[in-house]
């Protein structure tokens, strides 16, 4: 992989590695521990902005006089905004000065949260939510920024630390939202979040070094080059497929878990279901461990072990239909395995093109997000027809595909099998089949929403 990166750089002098920070900023070897922790906290706050509304939908609906269906649009609009941000905003990290981009997006997020806080009707509420979703991709701008600033031998560890902030932000957003709403109402949640983002923007402005991307392209060609990276970079394609399947498993679990816990056998309240989400904090530990293993070159081992653990977690989750201990163990194992795949993927793709880390992140995270949509769409249909056992069978099937795809990334597999035309073609057909299932799942989701 290193040799292919070197040859790419040699053949394309116009796309040489991105320059280091401008004068006055810390160099790549000077990324302090405090700066890494700050970036991790910033990633957590940015991604949390997209999750505050989820436990508040009923309260918001009653306050604004909305139907349940209208209130549910808040989550949908946030997801659409985030998807657009991945495609349209994230590549700007390769074009603009990074510190200015991060601080500008963070300050804009504060404004969009304030707009949500004052919203008198559904229209402004959805507008504020959509803008917040679009701008919350600041978290994904910060991750490759941290990778750029880190020394190569510490890159995996730094990415793991920053990504642990993202995991904790997703988990704690719902808890903090519920606590603040209990004290001062749902609008208080957004006012506090807006103030926190404004303070964060000022803090990042003082703490982060300047760092300008070197794409050398206008915005239109920049977006086209993002899609081109998936064609030109086989490692990115392979890792995007792994990320898609891993997040499909993750999304399948968390989309269906509330149905199990609120139904016969458990009958848990919303607050009890929310607390179970804290079991996902294990993902933050896995992010650290996977980053350290990536720095040691153990990416193939980490990927295979994580894929097999993900497959095994669905066995525990199947037992969890009637045993809470097995359910919690399955959740912890799935989150550990999912983060193991995800952090290893990021460590590898960031080594491909230092000058294109923003666009590489955009391409990878778009595939990753599609995986989440696939998992959510499929699990809705499967749960309606086959219940929790069907969900576990679906998750195990996705995890098995992940294991097969992970085996295809092993050097021994590539050297032994990929040179044989028939097997190479079979592997291509299998990958195309996975993507076809993805498209069909998204079409099914659209039809279900339309009805």
């Amino acid at each position: 992989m290193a040799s292919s990166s070197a040859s790419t750089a040699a053949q394309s002098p116009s796309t040489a590695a991105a320059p280091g920070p401008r004068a006055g900023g810390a160099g790549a070897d000077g990324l302090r521990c405090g700066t890494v922790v700050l970036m991790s906290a910033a990633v957590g706050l940015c991604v949390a902005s997209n999750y505050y509304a989820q436990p508040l939908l009923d309260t918001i609906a009653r306050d604004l006089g909305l139907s349940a269906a209208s209130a549910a649009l808040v989550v949908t609009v946030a997801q659409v905004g985030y998807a657009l941000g991945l495609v349209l905003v994230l590549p700007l990290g390769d074009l603009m000065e990074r510190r200015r981009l991060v601080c500008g997006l963070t300050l804009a997020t504060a404004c969009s949260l304030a707009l949500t806080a004052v919203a008198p009707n559904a229209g402004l509420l959805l507008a504020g939510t959509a803008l917040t979703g679009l701008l919350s991709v600041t978290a994904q701008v910060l991750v490759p920024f941290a990778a750029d600033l880190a020394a190569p031998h510490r890159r995996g560890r730094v990415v793991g630390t920053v990504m642990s902030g993202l995991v904790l932000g997703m988990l704690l957003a719902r808890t903090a939202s519920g606590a603040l709403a209990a004290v001062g109402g749902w609008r208080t949640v957004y006012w506090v979040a807006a103030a926190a983002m404004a303070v964060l923007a000022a803090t990042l402005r003082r703490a982060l070094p300047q760092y300008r991307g070197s794409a050398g392209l206008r915005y239109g060609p920049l977006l086209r080059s993002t899609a081109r990276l998936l064609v030109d970079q086989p490692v990115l394609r392979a890792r995007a497929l792994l990320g898609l399947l891993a997040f499909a498993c993750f999304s399948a679990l968390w989309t269906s878990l509330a149905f199990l816990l609120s139904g016969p056998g458990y009958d848990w309240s919303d607050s009890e279901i929310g607390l179970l989400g804290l079991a996902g904090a294990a993902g933050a530990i896995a992010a650290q461990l996977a980053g350290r293993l990536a720095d040691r070159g153990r990416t193939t081992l980490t990927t295979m072990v994580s894929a097999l653990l993900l497959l095994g977690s669905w066995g525990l989750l199947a037992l969890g239909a009637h045993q809470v201990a097995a359910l919690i163990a399955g959740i912890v194992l799935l989150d550990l395995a999912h983060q193991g795949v995800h952090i290893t993927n990021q460590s590898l793709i960031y080594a491909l093109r230092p000058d294109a880390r923003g666009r590489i992140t955009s391409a990878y995270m778009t595939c990753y997000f599609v995986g989440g949509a696939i998992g959510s769409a499929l699990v809705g249909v499967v749960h309606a027809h086959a219940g929790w056992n069907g969900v576990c069978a679906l998750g195990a099937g996705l995890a098995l595909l992940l294991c097969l795809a992970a085996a295809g990334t092993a050097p021994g597999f590539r050297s032994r099998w990929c040179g044989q035309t028939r097997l190479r073609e079979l592997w291509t057909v299998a990958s195309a089949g996975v993507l076809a299932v993805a498209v069909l799942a998204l079409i099914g989701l659209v039809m279900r929403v339309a009805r």
Side-chain angles (χ1 to χ4, degrees):
M1 180 178 64
S3 62
S4 65
S5 299
S7 62
T8 301
Q11 292 169 6
S12 305
S14 62
T15 57
R22 290 180 178 178
D29 292 315
L31 186 60
R32 299 182 180 88
C33 180
T35 306
V36 176
V37 172
L38 173 62
M39 296 179 84
S40 179
V43 166
L45 278 174
C46 290
V47 78
S49 301
N50 228 16
Y51 291 90
Y52 292 131
Q54 291 187 1
L56 307 175
L57 292 180
D58 184 61
T59 304
I60 292 173
R62 283 188 278 106
D63 184 50
L64 298 181
L66 305 177
S67 66
S70 297
L73 282 176
V74 172
V75 176
T76 303
V77 165
Q79 291 175 336
V80 171
Y82 186 76
L84 289 174
L86 288 175
V87 175
L88 301 177
V89 177
L90 192 48
L92 290 174
D94 292 337
L95 187 64
M96 298 177 62
E97 199 277 305
R98 296 277 180 85
R99 185 179 70 178
R100 180 179 299 176
L101 176 63
V102 166
C103 294
L105 290 174
T106 305
L107 193 58
T109 304
C111 295
S112 68
L113 289 166
L115 175 62
T116 304
V118 301
N121 52 49
L124 281 181
L125 176 72
L126 293 176
T129 301
L131 285 173
T132 300
L134 181 77
L135 297 166
S136 65
V137 296
T138 310
Q140 300 301 337
V141 177
L142 279 163
V143 177
F145 191 6
D148 281 329
L149 296 177
H153 67 279
R154 293 183 60 231
R155 184 168 295 132
R157 189 180 309 176
V158 168
V159 169
T161 300
V162 173
M163 286 298 296
S164 67
L166 185 144
V167 174
L168 293 174
M170 291 172 61
L171 290 172
L172 298 179
R174 300 173 180 89
T175 305
S177 178
L180 286 171
V183 173
W186 71 269
R187 295 182 190 273
T188 300
V189 176
Y190 287 95
W191 281 121
V192 172
M197 294 302 287
V199 171
L200 178 64
T203 306
L204 291 173
R205 177 71 177 79
R206 293 176 60 86
L208 295 181
Q210 291 183 328
Y211 194 106
R212 178 173 292 280
S214 62
L217 298 171
R218 294 182 181 274
Y219 183 63
L222 186 78
L223 294 183
R224 289 193 292 272
S225 69
T226 302
R228 185 69 190 174
L229 283 168
L230 280 171
V231 177
D232 294 340
Q233 298 288 342
V235 172
L236 177 59
R237 282 200 309 275
R239 291 289 159 174
L241 178 61
L242 295 181
L244 182 152
L245 291 168
F247 196 47
C249 285
F250 181 87
S251 184
L253 169 65
W254 289 102
T255 301
S256 59
L257 192 59
F259 297 126
L260 172 69
L261 296 176
S262 61
Y266 281 96
D267 294 316
W268 283 16
S269 66
D270 291 343
S271 59
E272 289 172 325
I273 294 172
L275 286 174
L276 188 61
L278 295 178
I285 301 172
Q288 292 277 349
L289 178 60
R292 292 175 184 271
L293 290 172
D295 285 338
R296 297 172 186 171
R298 310 302 295 272
T299 53
T300 300
L301 175 64
T302 305
T303 301
M304 283 304 307
V305 170
S306 297
L308 290 171
L309 289 177
L310 196 59
L311 179 60
S313 70
W314 286 104
L316 287 171
L317 290 168
L319 294 175
H322 305 289
Q323 300 177 26
V324 68
L327 184 67
I328 292 174
I331 291 172
V332 170
L333 192 61
L334 185 141
D335 281 349
L336 283 168
H338 163 252
Q339 284 298 322
V341 174
H342 185 42
I343 300 303
T344 304
N345 288 346
Q346 290 184 305
S347 298
L348 286 171
I349 64 175
Y350 290 154
L352 295 175
R353 287 274 304 275
D355 64 304
R357 286 192 178 125
R359 285 167 287 164
I360 283 174
T361 305
S362 176
Y364 173 78
M365 288 304 301
T366 299
C367 295
Y368 185 76
F369 186 84
V370 167
I374 291 169
S376 296
L378 290 177
V379 83
V381 176
V382 170
H383 187 273
H385 290 87
W388 182 251
N389 288 335
V391 169
C392 292
L394 169 65
L398 291 170
L400 181 59
L401 284 175
L402 174 62
C403 290
L404 295 174
T409 65
F413 180 94
R414 289 199 301 270
S415 62
R416 182 173 180 181
W417 301 111
C418 290
Q420 300 185 27
T421 304
R422 286 187 178 178
L423 287 175
R424 188 167 64 243
E425 290 175 351
L426 182 61
W427 192 252
T428 302
V429 171
S431 300
V434 171
L435 294 177
V437 170
V439 172
L440 290 174
L442 290 176
I443 292 173
L445 176 62
V446 171
M447 292 177 65
R448 204 160 54 116
V449 170
R451 287 201 299 267

